[in-house]
Amino acid sequence: MAEAGEAVTLRGELSGLFRSALSSAFPAAEEQPIIASCNNPQFGDYQCNNAMGLFGKLKGKEGAPKNPREVATAIVSGLPDNSTIADTSLAGPGFINCKVSSDYLAARINALMQQGVSTLAPPLRYKRVVVDFSSPNVAKEMHVGHLRSTIIGDTIANTLEFCGADVVRLNHIGDWGTQFGMLIEHMAELRPGGLAESRDEDVADLQQLYRAAKKRFDDEADFKSGDEECIAAWQRICDASRREFEAIYSRLGVTLQERGESFYNPMLKDVVEELREKGVAEVSDGATCVFVEGCEVPLIVQKSDGGYGYASTDMAAIKQRVTQEKADWVIYVTDIGQAPHFDMVFAAARRAGWLPEKGSAQPPRVSHVGFGLVLGEDGKKFKTRSGDVVRLVELLDEAKARCKDSVKQRREESGDPVDEAELEAAAKAMGYGAVKYADLKNSRLTNYKFSFDAMLELKGTPHRRHQFVLEHARERELAMAIVQFPEAVEDMLEELTPNRLTDYLYGLSETFSSFYTDCKVLGGEQEDSRLILVEATARIMRQCFKLLGITPLYRI
């Protein structure tokens, strides 16, 4: 993921040292270092795991080592002089354990304090990145299912920006299609003033109208619309939805640039013609299709009646993003069920020459970030008692209300004064932050059970607990955890999995808790150096919260 900045991470520095060692000990092997954290810190901090694989490659050749441990010994002998590794040891058949120098850790902490957290950001080879996320549908209220796309996409965008990328945050809203024609037709017939009746639309009303219109569309063959005269009504519908979306995004602290399906309408005809001319698309049963090897159904880029669907829009969008936006990387954040669709879109774009061949290291790169469902505590799809999908605004209201009650109770029990403005701010930060963390801490690839009680439980939640020499073992553990922050960022962007950041944040808070329990900070001989560790931890935690889109809470 990093371009030339491996040395930003400790793991990268070790990779560089062992690359030199491998080149020195076995120059003909052209072996890349395999560096991982040690499972047991008792044996070391990191491990080089090349010996066994390299032994297999060299076996049978003249002068080859007799066993993997000989390979490991030769690698260690080839390490250049450095101030990073304090000690090495061999384990098992040839694992090389490394203990990082305490002086090195102290120097990294000092650099963090003097230069700031931003200097720890791993550089990217991708300079301009489009992140397509959230993507609700016009005329429908945002529900809990939109939460995952919104906050996963926001975290990815935040992290890319932290690493220096120019990020275009796109909200590919569903604002065009047959459904709007049927909704507008139903509105025209239902209201006394027809479409000429001027009013500010309400999304809740529109959703009820949409359901009624959908039923009529399914039941009545002559119920069709789509006339150009309906554009004004369509615009009112979009404006109403836009107001609701923006209210939700404001509460979540998420910024997006709206670019709905309608934006690509003028491009659809030319895109389909280009696909035909290049032999990527062909006519089948009257429809224009792209057949992708290994896929049972084709990608339909133009229907048999001449109309266009979301596949047409997605093809136009990917072309526009790589040719006009000049994106080096395009990331789509949707539910995992759409993965087969995007596989076909990406394959068609490669055949059209808009993307490099699959597996190529050359930009532009495309990634689909799929995620699982939000389930209720019963393991079924998260719904209200009446069986409706949970509205996102209701989820946020409930989280805020519960946190407000919790904070108020704690302050009353402790005898602290209750300031309503401060209480409101704390409830928002705690409630919305808890909703985000409860989601992001899970692997995005799996479904997860949502529980208000578990979400608001204070125990085990890092959001709510919160001349330099490393002498105590706990000091060293904490310094190591702080220095490993860039690796968490690097891993998150490599896999596009926000839980890499939440796992790191949780581990850092646990390590800090152990340090704070075992090491006296104020009033001891090591007060100055330990205060530096405390401040360094706080800076890293604040940066983690910023990447996750969570407002830190300094007092409960």
Side-chain angles (χ1 to χ4, degrees):
M1 180 61 62
E3 184 178 39
E6 272 194 333
V8 169
T9 67
L10 171 52
R11 183 174 57 197
E13 287 201 30
L14 293 173
S15 292
L17 291 171
F18 277 99
R19 185 176 292 108
S20 296
L22 287 162
S23 178
S24 173
F26 304 100
E30 297 183 350
E31 187 83 356
Q32 292 300 311
I34 303 171
I35 306 297
S37 296
C38 282
N39 292 327
N40 189 340
Q42 180 181 348
F43 301 119
D45 301 309
Y46 288 83
Q47 198 171 68
C48 177
N49 298 329
N50 288 83
M52 286 183 287
L54 188 53
F55 172 73
K57 292 179 181 179
L58 298 173
K59 191 175 182 180
K61 295 182 179 180
E62 184 178 352
K66 297 177 181 178
N67 53 59
R69 285 185 73 91
E70 278 196 15
V71 175
T73 300
I75 294 172
V76 171
S77 297
L79 280 169
D81 291 338
N82 66 90
S83 59
T84 305
I85 301 174
D87 187 34
T88 60
S89 61
L90 301 187
F95 299 111
I96 304 171
N97 293 321
C98 304
K99 197 77 172 177
V100 176
S101 161
S102 292
D103 288 343
Y104 169 87
L105 294 175
R108 289 296 295 259
I109 298 295
N110 278 328
L112 162 64
M113 297 300 293
Q114 294 169 12
Q115 301 169 20
V117 178
S118 61
T119 59
L120 299 182
L124 296 172
R125 67 168 64 97
Y126 307 103
K127 304 304 180 186
R128 185 168 173 81
V129 185
V130 168
V131 184
D132 177 331
F133 65 105
S134 193
S135 307
N137 289 314
V138 164
K140 294 183 180 180
E141 293 180 284
M142 292 179 73
H143 56 75
V144 70
H146 292 112
L147 176 69
R148 300 210 78 182
S149 178
T150 302
I151 62 177
I152 290 172
D154 184 54
T155 298
I156 290 172
N158 291 339
T159 308
L160 287 164
E161 288 167 345
F162 174 64
C163 294
D166 176 17
V167 179
V168 183
R169 299 159 167 260
L170 293 185
N171 195 5
H172 189 84
I173 63 171
D175 67 348
W176 197 258
T178 304
Q179 67 270 29
F180 295 102
M182 69 184 191
L183 174 58
I184 291 168
E185 179 77 4
H186 187 63
M187 288 167 58
E189 295 181 11
L190 191 67
R191 294 176 175 175
L195 293 181
E197 182 178 315
S198 179
R199 64 163 73 180
D200 287 334
E201 306 293 349
D202 182 86
V203 174
D205 293 338
L206 288 174
Q207 187 150 311
Q208 291 182 351
L209 287 169
Y210 177 86
R211 289 172 180 168
K214 179 67 167 65
K215 187 176 188 306
R216 288 189 62 191
F217 184 83
D218 292 339
D219 296 344
E220 303 173 25
D222 59 348
F223 181 61
K224 308 287 180 185
S225 187
D227 196 288
E228 287 292 331
E229 297 176 0
C230 301
I231 291 296
W234 169 75
Q235 189 61 61
R236 291 204 307 272
I237 294 170
C238 291
D239 289 343
S241 295
R242 190 175 293 116
R243 287 192 296 271
E244 195 227 1
F245 298 160
E246 286 304 319
I248 294 288
Y249 297 141
S250 177
R251 293 176 73 171
L252 292 174
V254 173
T255 57
L256 280 154
Q257 177 184 344
E258 181 185 309
R259 190 172 293 174
E261 293 174 339
S262 60
F263 174 85
Y264 303 98
N265 282 350
M267 311 173 194
L268 300 182
K269 181 180 178 182
D270 290 343
V271 165
V272 172
E273 286 182 0
E274 180 180 347
L275 293 173
R276 283 176 180 159
E277 289 172 0
K278 290 182 173 179
V280 177
E282 59 186 86
V283 177
S284 176
D285 294 330
T288 304
C289 307
V290 177
F291 290 89
V292 177
E293 186 177 353
C295 298
E296 295 182 1
V297 295
L299 188 72
I300 301 175
V301 293
Q302 188 171 23
K303 302 174 186 177
S304 57
D305 62 2
Y308 302 102
Y310 62 88
S312 324
T313 304
D314 285 336
M315 290 304 299
I318 198 169
K319 181 184 179 184
Q320 190 273 339
R321 291 166 182 180
V322 299
T323 59
Q324 295 181 23
E325 291 290 349
K326 305 296 183 184
D328 300 314
W329 191 5
V330 184
I331 301 171
Y332 296 81
V333 186
T334 76
D335 68 89
I336 204 165
Q338 295 189 48
H341 166 73
F342 280 104
D343 285 344
M344 289 196 290
V345 169
F346 298 162
R350 291 188 187 99
R351 288 175 58 188
W354 305 336
L355 298 175
E357 290 299 315
K358 190 173 184 179
S360 171
Q362 295 299 314
R365 174 185 175 187
V366 288
S367 301
H368 177 248
V369 178
F371 54 82
L373 299 173
V374 181
L375 306 177
E377 293 185 70
D378 58 0
K380 298 178 181 178
K381 200 167 183 179
F382 194 29
K383 293 185 177 181
T384 63
R385 290 180 180 177
S386 62
D388 294 328
V389 175
V390 177
R391 297 164 61 220
L392 185 49
V393 68
E394 293 173 340
L395 179 73
L396 296 177
D397 287 344
E398 177 75 6
K400 176 186 164 187
R402 289 191 179 217
C403 286
K404 191 170 187 177
D405 291 342
S406 175
V407 174
K408 187 175 183 179
Q409 181 181 348
R410 288 168 65 91
R411 293 190 181 177
E412 288 175 346
E413 289 175 352
S414 63
D416 291 341
V418 178
D419 179 271
E420 284 300 321
E422 184 185 2
L423 182 61
E424 179 74 7
K428 287 180 179 178
M430 188 175 177
Y432 304 158
V435 167
K436 289 184 178 185
Y437 188 83
D439 187 296
L440 294 171
K441 72 178 182 180
N442 299 283
S443 168
R444 63 171 172 80
L445 297 172
T446 60
N447 301 336
Y448 80 93
K449 295 180 182 179
F450 186 91
S451 164
F452 275 112
D453 292 336
M455 179 190 76
L456 300 177
E457 185 180 0
L458 298 186
K459 183 179 179 182
T461 306
H463 185 219
R464 302 176 189 82
R465 52 178 189 155
H466 285 299
Q467 204 59 198
F468 183 49
V469 180
L470 299 174
E471 295 181 345
H472 196 285
R474 294 299 190 192
E475 292 176 323
R476 192 182 184 285
E477 287 176 8
L478 182 56
M480 177 64 72
I482 293 168
V483 168
Q484 289 176 328
F485 167 65
E487 295 173 22
V489 173
E490 195 172 64
D491 290 341
M492 184 275 193
L493 289 179
E494 187 66 36
E495 303 168 9
L496 296 174
T497 48
N499 66 293
R500 284 289 196 174
L501 287 177
T502 59
D503 289 348
Y504 169 78
L505 180 57
Y506 185 84
L508 178 61
S509 67
E510 293 264 283
T511 304
F512 178 78
S513 180
S514 298
F515 158 80
Y516 196 73
T517 299
D518 294 349
C519 298
K520 183 179 181 181
V521 176
L522 298 177
E525 292 182 4
Q526 292 83 29
E527 178 176 322
D528 289 346
S529 62
R530 288 178 178 176
L531 281 174
I532 290 173
L533 274 177
V534 171
E535 175 59 24
T537 303
R539 291 188 183 187
I540 295 296
M541 283 186 163
R542 283 195 292 267
Q543 186 61 52
C544 286
F545 287 134
K546 186 176 181 180
L547 298 182
L548 296 169
I550 296 174
T551 302
L553 189 60
Y554 294 93
R555 176 173 177 254
I556 296 179

